[in-house]
Amino acid sequence: TTTLTALQSTSDACSWTMGLDIYVAGGYTAGYTAKADVMKWSPTTGATTFVAAASLAEKRGDCVAVMRHDHTTAWVIGGYTSDDWTQAVSHVEAFDVTAGTTGAWTTKASTSSPRGDKAAVFFNDAIYAIGGEKKDGATTVVHDTIEAYDAVSNTWTEITTSKLPSPRFRYAAAQYGGSVYVFGGQPTAVGTGTAAVNPVTNTVYAI
């Protein structure tokens, strides 16, 4: 076990590996204030501290990060800001590691639907944002939809020919071979409380 010193304490952040470096972005403070901070760790150098990278343009937690297979670009997608807990955000940013010493972020086209607590994968030269949640007042609306991002045209398109068999949020996903796998999560949410109110599942889907 290696103990590292981060720039700040955080929860519900997102992370990715780019080249020989690991990045951690966004998240919340202990008081659930969303953050825009981005931290970088270079394990191959023997470093035991994170250093600051360029900050996100939009602070958020419950986000997801996806890296292009050739390690040239990473994207941070959706999540929640602490400015308005009644709605997830559809904001998308791309990270250019070659821009200066700390890299730089560029705002890209927003997802078709606001999505928090979703998963995303890079597959066949596209990003797929899968499931997740948004808010309708005090009610959580869980997505079963999938949308794909084309970086060349900077557009998101909902995949009308494919959906999750049932809505899912707060789950993990991974791409392997010719499929994307979705692991567990919650199919629905009503208010807050015990597992009986917010049930979880052990279902695995292959898309």
Side-chain angles (χ1 to χ4, degrees), residues 82-158:
S82 48
D83 296 333
D84 183 1
W85 289 110
T86 65
Q87 186 56 273
V89 298
S90 54
H91 193 74
V92 177
E93 299 179 47
F95 182 69
D96 178 4
V97 70
T98 67
T101 58
T102 60
W105 292 93
T106 303
T107 299
K108 298 297 183 180
S110 297
T111 54
S112 303
S113 299
R115 296 176 188 266
D117 289 313
K118 73 287 178 196
V121 297
F122 188 86
F123 181 47
N124 286 342
D125 284 327
I127 298 171
Y128 291 86
I130 308 164
E133 63 168 332
K134 64 178 182 179
K135 300 293 186 183
D136 183 5
T139 302
T140 296
V141 178
V142 185
H143 291 293
D144 62 359
T145 55
I146 302 169
E147 52 184 306
Y149 176 71
D150 181 344
V152 175
S153 62
N154 189 33
T155 55
W156 288 89
T157 304
E158 185 170 319

Side-chain angles (χ1 to χ4, degrees), residues 115 117-118 130-134 140-146 163-171 182-189 199-201 203 205:
R115 296 176 188 266
D117 289 313
K118 73 287 178 196
I130 308 164
E133 63 168 332
K134 64 178 182 179
T140 296
V141 178
V142 185
H143 291 293
D144 62 359
T145 55
I146 302 169
K163 291 185 176 183
L164 291 171
S166 67
R168 284 288 183 274
F169 75 118
R170 295 178 182 168
Y171 66 94
V182 172
F183 305 97
Q186 291 182 215
T188 186
V200 297
T201 178
T203 302
Y205 293 138

Side-chain angles (χ1 to χ4, degrees), residues 123-124 174-181:
F123 181 47
N124 286 342
Q175 182 269 323
Y176 180 79
S179 297
V180 175
Y181 295 89

Side-chain angles (χ1 to χ4, degrees), residues 61-83:
D62 292 308
C63 51
V64 66
V66 177
M67 187 196 65
R68 186 175 169 83
H69 60 78
D70 59 6
H71 290 217
T72 59
T73 310
W75 294 266
V76 168
I77 305 163
Y80 281 92
T81 74
S82 48
D83 296 333

